[in-house]
Structures are given as structure tokens and as C-alpha cells.
Amino acid sequence: MTNSLRPNGDRKAPLPPAQSSAGGVPSPRSPQSPQKKQNGKQRDAFFDNAKYLAIVLVAMGHAWEPLKGDSRTLEAAYQVVYAFHMPAFILISGYFSRSFDMRPDRLKRLITGVAVPYVIFETAYPLFKRWIDDDPGQDISLLDPWYLTWFLVALFIWRLTTPIWNMVRWPLPLALGLAMLATVTPEIGDDLDLQRVLQFLPFFVLGLVMKPEHFHMVRRRSVRIASVPVFAAALAFSWWAVPRMNTAWFYHRDAAQELGAPWWAGPVMVLAMFGCSLVLTACFFAWVPRRHMWFTALGAGTLYGYLLHGFLVKAGDYQGWFEASWFHQPAGQIAVTVLAAAVVTVLCTKPVQRMFRFAMEPKMEWAFKRDAAELARERQSAERREREKVSA
């Protein structure tokens, strides 16, 4: 998500991931991540494909941001993409967080795969702006997420609260209620971007309560066929709504009053946009390939693509790359779209992952005590191997 309506696009002063998320993005070493083979079973290519395609849409949306003011059609496409790309990422994140608990090994992965990357990139982005934009006064604040890093804060909070959502009787209505209350509470402020944490929360909780059969339902041929007119209708409606609707509603980072709307519009928009986002997310999932594709393996690197492509987008913004007149013509807008998809694809590849693993997936064994249960499992495993060796 970006901050297109904010000064410099950085802070919540009167504008998500992505990703991550990216995000989208489940942390690379999340214990629930489909990246790993578990119990000898092959990972489901569907989810890797969905994460990759979603991160491509995130990058395309960010590339469209400086250009969409010149084209009503591009603005309409931008709104449609923003209606579902982060909800899709967040829903997948919730789905693969279902078994998260406070077990020490999972808490370690949460710290090293989400909290530490947040600290690193929340520091790196302002330093990058100081350098490339010649802005030595740019603040570094771990409390005010900068650009794309809001998703890491949100994922950390959502995943920590997973045991609570798994415990309560009606988790989704409760999450929707919190999101609705957030939209009428401008006093929440900028700290940890809690508006977005709360307003996107229902999608994470929905992922927590979903089961495999729900994904099988949207992958049916009938849903795939129906999704075509649904997307066409969404684009047509968005084209009509461009001059009538504030795009900032899609960012989920402001209360209704901050958008110049009456307070009651906040809860109404939460419900309306939740419904629209779910429909479009289902249509998106319907067209995600189920088989292994050339890009399937890239789904494991979407957090890399999510966090790293922001540096290129911001460099283009600060250096005036998007001001070239050719980019504001249809051919230029298509070229920028293709370039954004290509760049984020490269950033999800294995060589890039190896290069930046120190920031995204630091092991940090030195920072943690050895868990007694983990030591016991290691001893049992060693004894079992020794017995097998003797019997052989």
C-alpha cells in the first residue's frame, strides 16, 4: 500500500503489501508458510502462485500512482486492484497463521522473520530518503511505519493475537466491529499505523477461520466464468466512481472524519468495502493457476519483492523519473506496468533472497536461549538415529 495522498507519500499527515507483503505476505520462515515441505508433503502451488501474482499487482499499483492522475481509466484500474490485492495477501497470511501459538520456536520465527525486518527496513527507508532526496532532516521512528513497513507491524500484531481469535466464539464479527470503531476514532493517531492494523484486521481473521474447502469452492470452473463479468462490472463502476469517490478509502489508514466524511460513513464503508473486497478476492483466486508454473517458486520470495521494490519506486519519485511526458501516455503507462512486473519478479528470485537473507531471515541463534523442549526433541532424534545405525 502506498501513501499517494500524503505529502511526499511517506507519513500519515493529511497518504499497505504490501507485504509485504507483500506481503502479503507471510514471513519467509513462518512455521505455517507453504514454502516448506511438511511431513513429506509437497507444498500447494496454488498459494505460491497467488502470492506471486498479488505482489505483481502491488508493484503495478505503486508504479501507477504517479501516473494515474492523467488517466481516468488508469485510476479506475488502480482502485479495482487496491480493492483486493492487499486483502488477498492478508487473507493468505491469516490462513497460514491458523496454528500459531506462543511456542518458543514460533515466537522466535515471528521475531526474526517479522520484527527484525521491520526494524531494519524502518531504518533503511528514511536513510535512503536522506541520501537520494538530499533530505538530512528525515526522521527515523520505529513508532511511525514508513511507506511499506506498516504491513510488518500489522502482521506482527495480528499473529501475536491469533490465539485470542482462535479462542473467541465469533471472531469475524468481532474483528469487523473493531474495524468499524476504528473508522470513527481519528484520535488513534499514527503510532504503529493502528488504523490500518484495525481496518485490515477482518481479512486476517477471515483467513484464520477459513478451511481448505473454502479455497476449493472459489477454484471451481463456474466461479472462474462468473468472475469475468464481475471484474468487468467492477472496472465500469470504478470508472464511474473516480470523480465521485475519495481513493483514500482503499488505503484503510484514515478515520472517516479525516477524509472529510460524516462519522457514520466509516462503519458503512468498512462493511461495503469488506464485501466488495471479498468478492474481488474470490474472483482473483478463481483465476490463480492450481498447477506448478514458471513463477510458482517465486511465491516464496514475495516478502523480498514487497520490501525491496519500494526503494526503486521511491527513487523514481524523488528523482523525477515519472515526470517524463512519454510515461503519461498510454504506451508509456503500459511500459511502466510491464517494467514494474519484471522488476518485482527479479526481486523475488533466489539470488536476491540469498543476498538479502541477512535482513529478511536472520537466524540470530545468539539472541535466544535454547528451549528445553527443543533440546529434548534433538536428544530424542539423535538417540533414534543412533538406534537405527546400530540396528543396521
Side-chain angles (χ1 to χ4, degrees):
M1 301 281 295
T2 55
N3 304 323
S4 61
L5 302 183
R6 307 283 190 199
N8 299 323
D10 303 332
R11 298 287 185 189
K12 184 180 172 182
L15 229 297
Q19 175 173 153
S20 173
S21 40
V25 190
S27 64
R29 295 194 293 120
S30 164
Q32 295 81 28
S33 172
Q35 165 62 17
K36 308 276 186 186
K37 289 184 183 179
Q38 296 181 0
N39 302 323
K41 296 180 181 178
Q42 282 282 357
R43 59 197 287 165
D44 190 339
F46 169 80
F47 291 106
D48 278 338
N49 293 337
K51 289 195 295 178
Y52 167 75
L53 294 173
I55 198 63
V56 168
L57 290 173
V58 168
M60 288 166 50
H62 292 163
W64 290 345
E65 225 176 295
L67 310 176
K68 62 186 178 66
D70 299 320
S71 170
R72 186 171 176 177
T73 300
L74 190 63
E75 178 83 28
Y78 177 88
Q79 289 187 356
V80 171
V81 166
Y82 264 66
F84 74 88
H85 70 354
M86 285 310 294
F89 257 127
I90 294 166
L91 191 149
I92 293 174
S93 298
Y95 181 72
F96 286 104
S97 298
R98 290 172 299 163
S99 61
F100 181 85
D101 54 27
M102 296 300 175
R103 211 172 72 183
D105 60 328
R106 289 176 175 165
L107 287 174
K108 289 177 186 176
R109 292 189 186 102
L110 182 63
I111 292 170
T112 59
V114 179
V116 171
Y118 170 73
V119 173
I120 292 174
F121 281 87
E122 181 64 12
T123 303
Y125 269 117
L127 289 177
F128 180 74
K129 187 177 190 299
R130 287 185 183 184
W131 169 64
I132 200 166
D133 197 31
D134 192 21
D135 182 11
Q138 175 64 48
D139 292 333
I140 298 175
S141 171
L142 297 182
L143 293 179
D144 191 2
W146 204 94
Y147 195 38
L148 303 176
T149 58
W150 72 267
F151 179 74
L152 295 176
V153 171
L155 185 59
F156 186 85
I157 295 172
W158 295 332
R159 196 163 279 167
L160 269 185
T161 60
T162 292
I164 298 175
W165 300 112
N166 288 335
M167 178 180 63
V168 299
R169 181 166 294 178
W170 298 292
L172 186 56
L174 177 58
L176 281 168
L178 289 174
M180 293 165 70
L181 286 174
T183 62
V184 300
T185 315
E187 294 81 8
I188 287 178
D190 298 340
D191 289 352
L192 299 181
D193 225 344
L194 286 179
Q195 275 288 356
R196 277 201 274 210
V197 173
L198 293 172
Q199 290 192 38
F200 276 115
L201 174 65
F203 298 103
F204 183 82
V205 173
L206 177 62
L208 289 176
V209 302
M210 288 186 71
K211 296 178 171 57
E213 51 265 33
H214 296 135
F215 288 97
H216 291 304
M217 289 172 59
V218 300
R219 289 155 64 175
R220 291 182 299 190
R221 186 170 181 270
S222 58
V223 178
R224 192 177 302 115
I225 294 173
S227 67
V228 176
V230 169
F231 263 122
L235 283 168
F237 178 81
S238 182
W239 189 88
W240 172 85
V242 163
R244 299 172 174 85
M245 181 177 178
N246 190 341
T247 304
W249 285 108
F250 293 93
Y251 303 142
H252 298 282
R253 55 138 203 266
D254 295 300
Q257 298 94 320
E258 294 174 287
L259 298 178
W263 69 266
W264 54 263
V268 171
M269 289 298 290
V270 164
L271 295 177
M273 297 195 71
F274 182 74
C276 292
S277 296
L278 279 190
V279 171
L280 292 177
T281 299
C283 293
F284 167 71
F285 283 148
W287 279 96
V288 171
R290 295 177 243 179
R291 64 185 184 279
H292 194 280
M293 307 291 289
W294 65 266
F295 54 78
T296 300
L298 301 177
T302 49
L303 187 60
Y304 291 80
Y306 175 77
L307 290 173
L308 293 174
H309 87 277
F311 289 103
L312 296 176
V313 173
K314 283 301 180 184
D317 184 19
Y318 299 144
Q319 297 296 304
W321 298 346
F322 295 104
E323 295 176 6
S325 59
W326 184 72
F327 285 146
H328 296 262
Q329 300 172 6
Q333 293 166 355
I334 293 172
V336 168
T337 302
V338 173
L339 181 61
V343 167
V344 80
T345 297
V346 171
L347 294 177
C348 292
T349 58
K350 290 293 184 184
V352 175
Q353 292 180 46
R354 286 193 293 268
M355 187 181 305
F356 290 96
R357 186 162 285 130
F358 74 94
M360 305 284 199
E361 305 177 73
K363 296 199 178 289
M364 296 182 61
E365 297 296 339
W366 54 269
F368 302 104
K369 296 178 180 179
R370 298 297 301 275
D371 177 42
E374 182 182 352
L375 290 171
R377 286 193 295 269
E378 289 180 1
R379 283 197 298 269
Q380 291 175 357
S381 178
E383 291 171 0
R384 184 169 55 253
R385 288 195 299 270
E386 190 63 29
R387 286 195 300 269
E388 292 172 353
K389 188 185 299 183
V390 170
S391 63

